[in-house]
Each structure stands twice: as C-alpha cells, then as structure tokens.
Amino acid sequence: TDGVDDVVAALLDEKANFFLDRAAAEDDPSHKQLIPYCIFKCGDRVLHYTRGKAGGENRLHAKISVGVGGHINPVDMGEGRKGAAAYYAAVQREIDEELEIGCDYEMRIVGLLNDDSNPVGQVHLGVVHLVELESEEVSSREDALTDLSWATVAELNGGLFERLETWSAFCAKWLGEQS
C-alpha cells in the first residue's frame, strides 16, 4: 500500500486514460482496463460470493470472489465528470448495482492488482478498495453474485482458497498478512 495513492492519482488523471470499445479491449493486452475491485469486510470476516452465469465474464464463472466491481462506462462521465471523478462515480455505481448495503461504511484504496499470467489479467488492472462495514447487513442485487456469504480471512486462506479466482486469492493472501 506504500505509494499507492500517488500511482492511483497518476492512473486517474484524465490525460492518462481513455475509453476503448470494450469488445476490442477484452482481447487487446496492449491496453489495460481499470477495474474497481471492492473487498467488503466486517471485523475479521470478508464477504464472498460465487460468480453466476449472469455475469459478463465467462472466464470467471463458478469461481469464488471477494471482489465486487466492474468496468468503468461512459455513463460514469455524466455531469461533466472526467478522470478521478468519473472513476469514483463508477465505483459507487457498481456497488449500488450489485449490493444492497444496510449500514454505514468507509472505503479506501489499498493496492493495485496486475496479473499477466492469464487472459483475464492480461487486459485488466484492478484497483483494490477495502470497504469496512459497520455490520454484515449486505445482500445481493444481481444474479451474477450467488451464494453471498461471509468467511474469516483464515477460512479464505484455508478450505476456500483453491476455489478463489486469481485476484481474490491475491487479496486473501494480503488480508492474511494484515492480520
């Protein structure tokens, strides 16, 4: 997490990014799509779900994920938003579309995820947000997020680890190091 704020500020500078047709971007590793990846935590427990077939990324179906988020869209530039303002509008839109949260929370960026070892990672750069919830009062609003549940960091790094998608495995390891 050291220096992440400066890197994120540079990434979100409106001169440093642009929209590319998503279908083309998904197969073009010469460009990285910024993906907000929000981890929801309450005490020592982390929200996780199984990616259902309703999700847009076929390559991740049936994997367990601790990350909620998605692509930044042109709609996020409404009201003249650019750069960081458009990015944070996308973060909030994704959270509101995917989850019903019945408590207060605080959110901060804790790191970046870059994994070129597989086709999904080659075209995406994750911006990891840690969302600290006051309670576990959370439910799913999308069919793509099935079996919404809570697990301790130890459980994620134990029996659930083999079922985690790649980014979630990286995040679970990081969370374990913070404990």
Side-chain angles (χ1 to χ4, degrees), residues 63-168:
K63 295 283 194 177
I64 292 177
S65 180
V66 298
V68 172
H71 291 82
I72 301 159
N73 296 323
V75 67
D76 301 315
M77 295 180 71
E79 300 174 17
R81 288 185 294 261
K82 295 179 180 179
Y87 173 81
Y88 286 107
V91 173
Q92 196 60 56
R93 176 186 51 76
E94 286 288 343
I95 290 171
D96 293 345
E97 285 176 1
E98 298 186 13
L99 296 174
E100 177 72 40
I101 301 174
C103 65
D104 288 336
Y105 58 87
E106 291 185 12
M107 178 172 29
R108 71 184 197 278
I109 294 174
V110 295
L112 299 172
L113 281 167
N114 185 52
D115 175 26
D116 289 337
S117 70
N118 62 69
V120 177
Q122 290 171 3
V123 296
H124 298 100
L125 176 66
V127 180
V128 183
H129 297 252
L130 184 61
V131 183
E132 304 261 9
L133 298 162
E134 288 189 359
S135 76
E136 294 181 4
E137 203 175 329
V138 179
S139 58
S140 173
R141 286 187 172 170
E142 282 202 2
D143 293 341
L145 278 66
T146 61
D147 302 325
L148 206 63
S149 188
W150 293 88
T152 65
V153 172
E155 289 167 335
L156 288 174
N157 282 300
L160 294 174
F161 192 80
E162 293 301 317
R163 294 184 52 212
L164 293 176
E165 66 186 16
T166 307
W167 282 10
S168 290

Side-chain angles (χ1 to χ4, degrees), residues 18-56:
F18 58 92
F19 279 102
L20 187 63
D21 177 69
R22 181 155 172 204
E26 289 296 331
D27 294 318
D28 182 0
S30 70
H31 294 95
K32 289 278 190 172
Q33 299 170 72
L34 287 180
I35 304 292
Y37 197 75
C38 301
I39 302 169
F40 292 82
K41 194 168 182 273
C42 182
D44 70 337
R45 289 165 49 94
V46 179
L47 185 70
H48 66 86
Y49 62 94
T50 303
R51 287 194 184 265
K53 290 186 177 174

